[in-house]
Amino acid sequence: MNRKRIARVMRERDIRGVTRRKRHSLTRPDKKAKPAPDLIGRDFHAERPGIKLVGDITCLPTAEGWLYLACWLDLATREVVGYAMADHHRAELVVDALDMADGRGNLEPGCVIHSDRGSEYTSTQFRDRIRQLGLRSSCGRTGSCFDNAAAESFWALLKEEIGNRI
C-alpha cells in the first residue's frame, strides 16, 4: 500500500496520528537588567560539592493546571540540592530554591550559581539574594540551551521518567 491509500483510509475512518504538543520556552530575558558573565563556559564538572550549581525552571502539566518547578543541581554530585514548586514562575520561585540549596548544599563562599538569562535569574530580588549569600552569579548566552546543558538534561530525564500524566 502506498501513503495515499493510507491517508485516504485514515480520513474515511477519522483516524489521526499522534502529534507532540508545541514546546513553549519559559525564558524571557529582562530587557533592563545586564546579565551576569558566563563563569562556567560549558564546563559542567566540579572537583568537590558546593562550588558550582546549575539551575533552571520547567513547567509540568497537572490535573489542576501548570506547575512550575525550579531546581539547583550540584555539578560535583549531580544531586538536586534545592528546589521549589509554585503555580507561577516569578523570581521568588528561584530564590526559594536557592535558599533550600544554601541550607542543604553546604555551599562554599564564592560558589558559582549558573542559569539561563530568564527574567527570574536577572531580577533584582534574585541578584540581591545571591549577594547576601556571598555567591557568584553566572548566565549562559541567550537562546543557547547548550550553555545550561546539565540542567536541561536533568529536565529531559525527569520528564521522561514521569511521562505525560494528562
Side-chain angles (χ1 to χ4, degrees), residues 115-147:
S115 65
D116 58 22
R117 292 189 182 203
S119 59
E120 302 86 3
Y121 300 105
T122 56
S123 69
T124 305
Q125 182 181 2
F126 181 69
R127 289 184 174 206
D128 288 347
R129 190 65 185 135
I130 283 184
R131 230 175 278 116
Q132 290 168 359
L133 296 173
L135 308 173
R136 294 184 300 160
S137 183
S138 170
C139 285
R141 291 172 294 179
T142 302
S144 177
C145 61
F146 302 110
D147 288 349

Side-chain angles (χ1 to χ4, degrees), residues 7-160:
R8 181 179 51 80
V9 170
M10 286 177 69
R11 253 192 331 273
E12 290 171 356
R13 297 185 181 172
D14 198 28
I15 300 171
R16 290 181 180 76
V18 176
T19 59
R20 295 187 125 193
R21 288 183 286 176
K22 186 177 177 184
R23 295 183 58 155
H24 295 282
S25 173
L26 290 177
T27 305
R28 302 282 185 264
D30 188 350
K31 306 284 188 222
K32 296 176 235 165
K34 185 174 189 264
D38 187 356
L39 301 175
I40 290 206
R42 296 188 185 179
D43 177 18
F44 299 111
H45 297 89
E47 297 78 34
R48 60 189 184 282
I51 60 171
K52 283 185 187 177
L53 300 184
V54 293
D56 201 7
I57 299 176
T58 194
C59 56
L60 303 169
T62 68
E64 289 82 31
W66 292 102
L67 176 69
Y68 297 94
L69 176 60
C71 81
W72 292 102
L73 299 168
D74 191 314
L75 288 178
T77 61
R78 302 292 178 173
E79 291 179 7
V80 175
V81 292
Y83 66 91
M85 292 179 275
D87 61 352
H88 60 81
H89 59 96
R90 294 188 293 266
E92 54 261 21
L93 179 64
V94 294
V95 170
D96 290 345
L98 183 62
D99 287 339
M100 180 187 279
D102 181 53
R104 295 181 64 222
N106 298 321
L107 305 183
E108 294 184 10
C111 172
V112 175
I113 305 296
H114 185 77
S115 65
D116 58 22
R117 292 189 182 203
S119 59
E120 302 86 3
Y121 300 105
T122 56
S123 69
T124 305
Q125 182 181 2
F126 181 69
R127 289 184 174 206
D128 288 347
R129 190 65 185 135
I130 283 184
R131 230 175 278 116
Q132 290 168 359
L133 296 173
L135 308 173
R136 294 184 300 160
S137 183
S138 170
C139 285
R141 291 172 294 179
T142 302
S144 177
C145 61
F146 302 110
D147 288 349
N148 202 13
E152 299 292 349
S153 175
F154 170 74
W155 290 135
L157 181 63
L158 176 78
K159 288 181 177 183
E160 184 69 29

